[in-house]
Amino acid sequence: MHRRGVKRALAIPLLLSMVVAACGGDDDGDTASDDTSVEATTGDATDDTGDGGDDGGDDGGDVTTPATVEDTDTSIVREEGERTYGGDVIFGLEAEAVGMRPWEDACGEPCLNIQLSMMEQLMRERADGSYGPWLATDITSNDDFTVWTMTLRDGVTFHNGEPFNAQTIVDMYPVQQSGTSGAAAINAAKLASLEATGDMEITYTLSTPNSAFPASLAGVLGRVFEPKAAAADPDGFTMNPIGTGPFVMDKRDIDNETVVVRNENYWMSDPDGNQLPYLDSITFRPIPDEGTRLDSLLSGTVNMMHSLRQGTIRDARGADGIQLYEFQGNNTGGGMYNTAVPPFDDVRVRRGLNLMNNQEAVIDALGGTGISLPATQWFSPDSPYWTQEAADAWPTFDFEAGVESIQAYIDDPARSDGKAPGELIDVELSCPPDPTLIAAMQVIEQVWTGSGLVNVTLTQFDQATHISNAVNDAHRAHCWRWSSNQDPSLAIDPVVAPPEESVSNFPNFFNEESFQLAQQALQTDDVEERTELYKEIMLNFAEDSIFWYSGYTATMVAVDPSIQGINGWLLPDGTLGNGFPNAFVTFTEVWIEQ
Amino acid sequence: MASTDTAPSAPSDSSTGDPSRHAIGDAARPVPQGHKPKRQPLWKIFRSMPIVVKMASIWLTLVVVGAIYSKLDVTVFDGALPLQDPNLQLNNFNPATGEFGTVEPLSAPSASHWLGTDALARDTFSRIVHGSWVSVIVVVVSVLCGVVIGGLLGSLVGFVRKKTETIVMAVVDVVLAFPALILLLALVSIFEVRDLFIISFVIGVLSIPIYTRVARANSLAVSNREFVTAARAIGTKPTRILRREIIPNVLPTLLAYAMVAAASVIVVEGALSFLGLSVQLPTSTWGNMINQARRDIKENVWQVLFPSLSLTITVLSLNQVGDFFQKRSAFRGSAL
C-alpha cells in the first residue's frame, strides 16, 4: 500500500510533466510512463527514436514498407540527387520546447526536433527497427544480457571544444540520476551501475536481464550532453545546450524562435566524404494553431512544419505545392477499463463493450478515415512485431454478441456490482475535452446506450486531471493511448507487471502468463522469438479485453518541395535510419535543392 | 449602469398621468400605504419598442419557446413532437434499427436538415433548439439567484447603512475581486459539477455581488427621497418601508440590469461548454457545439456558424432589450 503510494507520488509529477511538455507531442523518454499517455490528438507517449527492432543492419539500400492506409506512403527511401551546401530551414513547430536538459525535462516531438539538432545519442534506430551505433561504434552483451560493453566513437568534440570519451558518460551519470527524466530512464533500462573500462569503453551493469538495452541508449539515457557545462549551470543549459550535434545554438528566444547554425567542426561526413551538415541554419518557430501552421507553410512564412493531428494531415493532403512525409506509429489510441472496479472486473462486461465498439466509426469521428488504420494490437502493420494472428484475435464490431455477453452478466444473480439481476450496468466513460475525443466518445456512447443494457455517463477532464484520475485509480472506462515506437518491452512491461508493483498498470489487471512472457522477452535478442512472445501477450490482451482500441497514430512532416533528405538519412555505419518517426526530423543530411 | 440621478430629463410623471410613476419622491403626494403601481400591459410596452428591440424581443421569445418545446418533446412526448433526435448519429450503427446510418456528416443545410448535420451526422437545427434549453435555464436560475439574494441584500444595506453596510460591502468587494470566470472554472472542475441547475446556481451565486452593488446604489438614492422621509416621519416601521417603498423602486432597475447580465451569463456558460466543463455530453449546448465543430471549420463552416449566430443574436437581443428597460427605469427616476 505504502509502496504503491510512493510510486504514485513519484509518478504523478512525472506524468504531469510529460503532459505539460507534450502539448502536441509528448514524451520521448525511456521512462515507464512514456509508454502510455492520454488519447488525444495532442499527445502520444512515443519515443523519438525507438521502435522494436530486429538485429542486423541494412546496407544502406531502400527499405520500403507497404503503404498501409489509403493514399499513404510510409516508405523510407534514400533520396537521390546532388547534395548542396547552404540554405536555411524555417520549421513551424506545434509547441515551444520549454526545457533543453535531457536529464530533467520531458521532451515531446517539437522539443526533440530542436534538441537533437544539437545533441546526439549513443544509438539510433534503423529503418528496419534494429538499433545501430551513432556516437558509439559497437555494443555487446554477456549471455544473460546483464552486462553491456560499449565502445565510443573517437575524434568527437562538444560545441565548447571538450572531448567526448568514456569519462563523459561517467560524468553524465550523476547528473542523469539527479533529474526526473534521467532517473526514470535509468530505472526503465534496469541500469544498476556503469564504469569506464577504457578511454573509449563503457561497461553497463544491469539489475536484471534486458536484451532491449540498446533501445534505451537511443533515448534519454543515451542522449549525450556536455556534463561539465550541465553541472556548472543546470538552469542555463536550457538556454544554451551543449552537445556534439551538427548544429550549434545561435539564438534562443522562447515562444518566438530558436535559431541553430551549422557546426563547422562536426565529426560526420556523408558517404562521398563531404562534411555534414549541409544546411547553414535552422529556425524553429512555435506555431501552436494547426491551421495557422499549415497556412504558414503554404504562404512561405515557414518552409517546413510538422503535425500529429489527423485533421491537419487531411487538410495538408488537399493542399498543393508541398511535399508530405507521413508516418504510422505503434501508438494505439483507445482506452482501458479499471478492472479493480465492478462491473469491469468481469470479462463478460469488458468483452461485451469491446464487441460494441465500432472502430471504423470512432476513427471517422477522430478524423482519421483513410489516414489511420483500426488498431488490433500494440504494433502497427509497419512494425516487425505486428502479427496477423493477433490482428485476427482482436474482436471486430458485433453488436448482437456484445449484447449477449453483457446480458449474461446482467442476468447473473452473483454479478459483481451488487445490483439486482436485470438492472443496467453503469459505465463512466471519460476523455479529455478535445473536440476529436468528444466526438469519439459520443460515437461509443450511442451504441453502448442503444444496447439498452448500459447506462453511460460521459465525463471530460483536462489532461492533467485525466491522467491523475488514472494514477489514483479514480477511473472507470478511460480514454488512453498505448504502446510506443520504442522497444516493446518499455511499453508492455509496466502494464503487465503486478498492479501493486507498477503504477503504470492502470487497468489494475494481472495475467501471470503475460507477465512471464514479458520477462522472457527481455532474455533474448532474437527478433522472431521476441515477436512470438509479444504475439502471445497480444492474444492475452484480446482475450482479457482490458483495453479497447481505435486507430494507430498518424503523423506528418510537410515541407517545401525543394527541401530534401528528410526521409533517407544514414547512420555512421552506412545503414538507413528510421526516417521521421512521430514527426521528428533528423537534420544531419537535410539539404535544399538549388 | 444607468442611475436615477443621471437620467436624462423627461416629462414629469404627473404630466403623463401614469399613476405608477408618482410613487418615487413625490413629496407633495406621499405614497398611500398599500398602494400598488399600475402595470403597463406587455403589448403596450412592445408597441413602444424601437424596431430593433422588437426584433430582439421576438428572437428571445422564440428561444424560450424553442427551449420549452424541446424539453416537452423529451420529457412529456418521448420524442414524438416533430423535432429530430438531437443526439442520434445518422451515420453510425443504430441499435434501435440494427442498421448503419447513411446520412453524410458535415452536410450543408437542406430540406431534411435545415441547418445541416455535424461531424457525427446529427441534425444541427435540433441540437440548437435543444441547446437553447440550457441557455434559458442558466439565465433563469442565475438571474433569479442574483436578483433575489443580491437585490434583497443591496436594498437592505442601502437602506440600513451603518456597520451592516460596511461589512456586507466589504465582503462583496472581496468576492468581486476574484475573476469570476476563473473561480467558476475552478469550482466546476474541482467538484466535477455537470448538473445544469447546479452550474446555473453557481453562476448565480457568483453574480450576487454585482446585483448587490446595483441594488445598494439604487436603494441609497431612494432612501434619501422625500416619500421615505415622510414615511419615517409618520412612524412607519423600517421593514414596511423597505418592503413597500425601497424594494418596489429598486426592482425595475434591477430587472433591467438583469437582462444585460443575462447576456453575460449566456457567454459564461458558452465558455464553460467550450472548455468541456458545462453539462454532461451528449447534451447539446451552443458552446459545446462550437467547440465540437471548430475542428472541421475549414471543411464545413455551417456547424460553427449556426450555434455562434444563435449565441450572438441572443446576447445582442438581451442587451437591446435590457437597454430598453434600463432606459424605461431611468425615465421613471427622472420624474423625481
Side-chain angles (χ1 to χ4, degrees):
Chain A
M1 184 73 177
H2 286 295
R3 190 174 172 190
R4 188 161 167 81
V6 171
K7 280 173 178 284
R8 280 181 182 156
L10 291 170
I12 289 174
L14 182 64
L15 287 165
L16 292 180
S17 65
M18 175 184 87
V19 172
V20 168
C23 266
D26 345 72
D27 210 337
D28 68 305
D30 305 2
T31 66
S33 58
D34 288 345
D35 305 330
T36 53
S37 77
V38 182
E39 179 184 13
T41 51
T42 56
D44 64 44
T46 55
D47 184 77
D48 46 317
T49 56
D51 192 359
D54 49 312
D55 287 334
D58 186 87
D59 60 1
D62 297 348
V63 174
T64 304
T65 51
T68 53
V69 182
E70 180 189 359
D71 298 331
T72 303
D73 179 9
T74 57
S75 55
I76 298 174
V77 182
R78 175 88 177 154
E79 289 103 327
E80 299 300 325
E82 186 185 352
R83 272 63 172 167
T84 50
Y85 284 104
D88 307 306
V89 163
I90 304 173
F91 194 162
L93 298 172
E94 70 168 15
E96 177 59 286
V98 178
M100 283 286 148
R101 301 167 300 179
W103 65 92
E104 181 64 46
D105 303 309
C107 191
E109 280 72 21
C111 164
L112 282 174
N113 277 293
I114 304 175
Q115 195 176 88
L116 292 190
S117 69
M118 294 174 282
M119 292 180 217
E120 298 176 289
Q121 294 169 159
L122 295 168
M123 306 288 289
R124 288 296 301 266
E125 189 195 355
R126 297 189 178 103
D128 63 2
S130 65
Y131 289 85
W134 189 274
L135 281 180
T137 55
D138 183 47
I139 185 164
T140 55
S141 75
N142 63 353
D143 289 342
D144 68 356
F145 304 104
T146 55
V147 179
W148 291 81
T149 305
M150 181 175 64
T151 309
L152 302 175
R153 188 170 301 282
D154 202 3
V156 177
T157 57
F158 286 98
H159 299 160
N160 61 357
E162 289 288 327
F164 168 73
N165 51 38
Q167 191 57 42
T168 304
I169 306 298
V170 172
D171 292 343
M172 278 169 50
Y173 192 53
V175 180
Q176 289 174 316
Q177 286 177 307
S178 68
T180 305
S181 295
I186 289 167
N187 183 49
K190 303 167 181 27
L191 177 59
S193 65
L194 60 81
E195 63 175 322
T197 46
D199 286 348
M200 302 304 287
E201 184 181 279
I202 286 285
T203 300
Y204 294 96
T205 305
L206 312 188
S207 55
T208 57
N210 183 4
S211 62
F213 187 68
S216 297
L217 298 177
V220 169
L221 187 61
R223 196 163 303 155
V224 175
F225 54 89
E226 210 281 277
K228 288 177 188 167
D233 184 10
D235 294 334
F237 202 85
T238 281
M239 297 302 288
N240 187 27
I242 298 173
T244 60
F247 293 90
V248 180
M249 177 68 81
D250 180 55
K251 175 190 172 191
R252 179 136 167 84
D253 182 5
I254 290 179
D255 289 331
N256 183 19
E257 64 178 24
T258 298
V259 182
V260 296
V261 296
R262 186 173 193 268
N263 177 6
E264 300 295 343
N265 301 313
Y266 189 54
W267 57 272
M268 192 173 171
S269 301
D270 69 11
D272 297 328
N274 302 310
Q275 192 193 18
L276 296 172
Y278 302 119
L279 293 174
D280 285 339
S281 73
I282 312 166
T283 301
F284 298 98
R285 286 191 186 151
I287 308 175
D289 184 78
E290 292 283 322
T292 306
R293 196 174 337 117
L294 179 57
D295 289 342
S296 298
L297 176 66
L298 296 174
S299 65
T301 307
V302 301
N303 52 14
M304 179 184 289
M305 66 161 282
H306 71 166
S307 177
L308 290 86
R309 300 208 181 207
Q310 294 160 347
T312 310
I313 296 173
R314 181 189 59 199
D315 293 342
R317 282 184 180 182
D320 295 327
I322 57 175
Q323 173 74 42
L324 301 190
Y325 295 93
E326 292 186 37
F327 175 80
Q328 288 278 317
N330 287 342
N331 212 245
T332 307
M336 61 177 156
Y337 307 104
N338 182 356
T339 65
V341 179
F344 307 115
D345 56 346
D346 195 303
V347 70
R348 291 173 294 183
V349 172
R350 301 194 302 266
R351 187 164 181 80
L353 294 174
N354 277 4
L355 285 164
M356 293 193 294
N357 173 25
N358 185 356
Q359 275 182 264
E360 303 279 357
V362 172
I363 291 172
D364 194 36
L366 290 166
T369 299
I371 297 170
S372 173
L373 273 176
T376 58
Q377 53 199 289
W378 286 27
F379 311 108
S380 79
D382 288 351
S383 165
Y385 292 99
W386 184 91
T387 61
Q388 185 64 50
E389 202 172 334
D392 294 340
W394 186 251
T396 52
F397 181 70
D398 187 342
F399 184 74
E400 306 266 322
V403 167
E404 194 178 323
S405 185
I406 294 176
Q407 191 70 56
Y409 174 83
I410 284 179
D411 293 339
D412 187 348
R415 58 190 280 186
S416 58
D417 62 1
K419 289 188 171 185
E423 284 191 53
L424 305 190
I425 60 169
D426 293 323
V427 172
E428 181 187 329
L429 173 59
S430 186
C431 291
D434 181 275
T436 54
L437 295 177
I438 290 170
M441 66 198 274
Q442 289 177 103
V443 168
I444 296 171
E445 184 266 347
Q446 169 159 308
V447 184
W448 285 0
T449 303
S451 69
L453 304 174
V454 188
N455 179 27
V456 183
T457 305
L458 301 179
T459 58
Q460 309 161 72
F461 298 102
D462 62 277
Q463 273 208 339
T465 307
H466 188 82
I467 291 172
S468 175
N469 284 345
V471 173
N472 293 310
D473 287 343
H475 59 307
R476 301 294 181 265
H478 217 59
C479 290
W480 209 255
R481 280 194 179 281
W482 303 104
S483 192
S484 73
N485 278 57
Q486 298 175 269
D487 184 83
S489 64
L490 294 168
I492 291 172
D493 289 6
V495 179
V496 298
E500 60 274 14
E501 292 176 13
S502 170
V503 70
S504 296
N505 186 343
F506 299 113
N508 292 305
F509 187 85
F510 184 65
N511 181 324
E512 177 69 34
E513 186 191 7
S514 295
F515 179 63
Q516 294 302 335
L517 289 165
Q519 296 302 307
Q520 287 176 43
L522 290 176
Q523 295 168 36
T524 173
D525 60 353
D526 182 86
V527 172
E528 283 187 15
E529 193 180 341
R530 297 187 87 207
T531 302
E532 192 63 25
L533 291 166
Y534 287 124
K535 182 197 77 181
E536 292 299 324
I537 293 174
M538 292 302 118
L539 293 176
N540 284 345
F541 282 177
E543 184 67 28
D544 296 332
S545 297
I546 49 180
F547 315 107
W548 78 83
Y549 299 146
S550 53
Y552 296 108
T553 306
T555 62
M556 167 196 79
V557 176
V559 298
D560 181 288
S562 64
I563 297 178
Q564 302 286 319
I566 290 168
N567 197 350
W569 51 272
L570 300 176
L571 276 76
D573 62 4
T575 55
L576 195 59
N578 68 336
F580 42 91
N582 298 315
F584 152 61
V585 177
T586 297
F587 285 99
T588 319
E589 293 188 61
V590 171
W591 85 95
I592 297 180
E593 215 167 43
Q594 300 299 315
Chain B
M1 180 63 225
S3 139
T4 53
D5 298 327
T6 58
S9 62
S12 70
D13 290 331
S14 53
S15 67
T16 63
D18 183 349
S20 70
R21 293 184 180 167
H22 79 278
I24 303 174
D26 191 339
R29 292 185 295 153
V31 182
Q33 293 194 359
H35 167 77
K36 289 185 179 176
K38 187 182 174 186
R39 300 289 174 204
Q40 198 172 13
L42 275 178
W43 67 269
K44 271 193 177 177
I45 297 175
F46 183 75
R47 274 182 58 186
S48 68
M49 288 174 172
I51 183 69
V52 174
V53 182
K54 274 183 184 154
M55 290 169 67
S57 302
I58 291 169
W59 171 261
L60 292 176
T61 307
L62 283 174
V63 169
V64 173
V65 169
I68 295 169
Y69 181 89
S70 65
K71 198 63 184 172
L72 286 175
D73 185 33
V74 173
T75 56
V76 178
F77 296 99
D78 198 22
L81 292 179
L83 186 64
Q84 298 192 31
D85 183 341
N87 298 324
L88 183 61
Q89 298 152 24
L90 299 165
N91 64 341
N92 193 5
F93 180 78
N94 185 347
T97 61
E99 293 176 355
F100 287 89
T102 54
V103 173
E104 283 293 313
L106 296 174
S107 62
S110 64
S112 52
H113 302 286
W114 294 350
L115 302 183
T117 59
D118 69 3
L120 299 181
R122 297 174 295 193
D123 183 70
T124 301
F125 175 74
S126 174
R127 289 183 67 74
I128 285 179
V129 174
H130 279 265
S132 65
W133 172 256
V134 173
S135 298
V136 167
I137 290 301
V138 166
V139 164
V140 169
V141 173
S142 62
V143 165
L144 266 180
C145 198
V147 167
V148 172
I149 301 175
L152 278 177
L153 204 59
S155 300
L156 178 71
V157 300
F159 176 62
V160 175
R161 309 208 64 175
K162 300 181 182 173
K163 281 186 180 174
T164 311
E165 183 191 27
T166 308
I167 293 168
V168 169
M169 294 318 292
V171 172
V172 163
D173 287 343
V174 168
V175 177
L176 274 176
F178 283 108
L181 187 58
I182 304 295
L183 197 59
L184 192 61
L185 285 173
L187 286 173
V188 293
S189 57
I190 291 170
F191 295 108
E192 302 177 7
V193 178
R194 292 294 183 273
D195 182 87
L196 174 58
F197 286 94
I198 295 177
I199 288 173
S200 307
F201 180 72
V202 171
I203 294 173
V205 168
L206 288 174
S207 61
I208 285 174
I210 193 71
Y211 281 98
T212 306
R213 275 202 158 279
V214 171
R216 172 184 164 270
N218 283 275
S219 177
L220 279 174
V222 174
S223 299
N224 292 328
R225 298 302 173 196
E226 295 83 348
F227 64 93
V228 176
T229 308
R232 278 181 171 138
I234 61 173
T236 310
K237 288 181 180 175
T239 51
R240 186 175 176 82
I241 295 174
L242 187 68
R243 185 162 49 87
R244 299 301 299 271
E245 313 294 353
I246 307 292
I247 292 176
N249 286 295
V250 167
L251 199 57
T253 308
L254 208 58
L255 288 176
Y257 171 75
M259 297 292 284
V260 179
S264 308
V265 165
I266 287 182
V267 172
V268 166
E269 192 285 324
L272 282 180
S273 288
F274 187 82
L275 296 171
L277 295 171
S278 187
V279 294
Q280 185 188 311
L281 290 170
T283 306
S284 63
T285 70
W286 295 342
N288 72 27
M289 288 180 73
I290 296 168
N291 183 33
Q292 292 174 48
R294 70 189 161 100
R295 181 192 66 175
D296 304 301
I297 193 167
K298 283 190 176 176
E299 196 175 334
N300 183 315
V301 73
W302 302 110
Q303 302 314 311
V304 169
L305 185 66
F306 289 129
S308 301
L309 275 178
S310 303
L311 193 67
T312 306
I313 295 172
T314 304
V315 169
L316 193 63
S317 298
L318 282 166
N319 281 325
Q320 288 294 325
V321 176
D323 283 349
F324 174 78
F325 281 108
Q326 273 195 341
K327 282 174 188 166
R328 275 178 61 86
S329 65
F331 178 74
R332 178 190 297 269
S334 71
L336 295 173

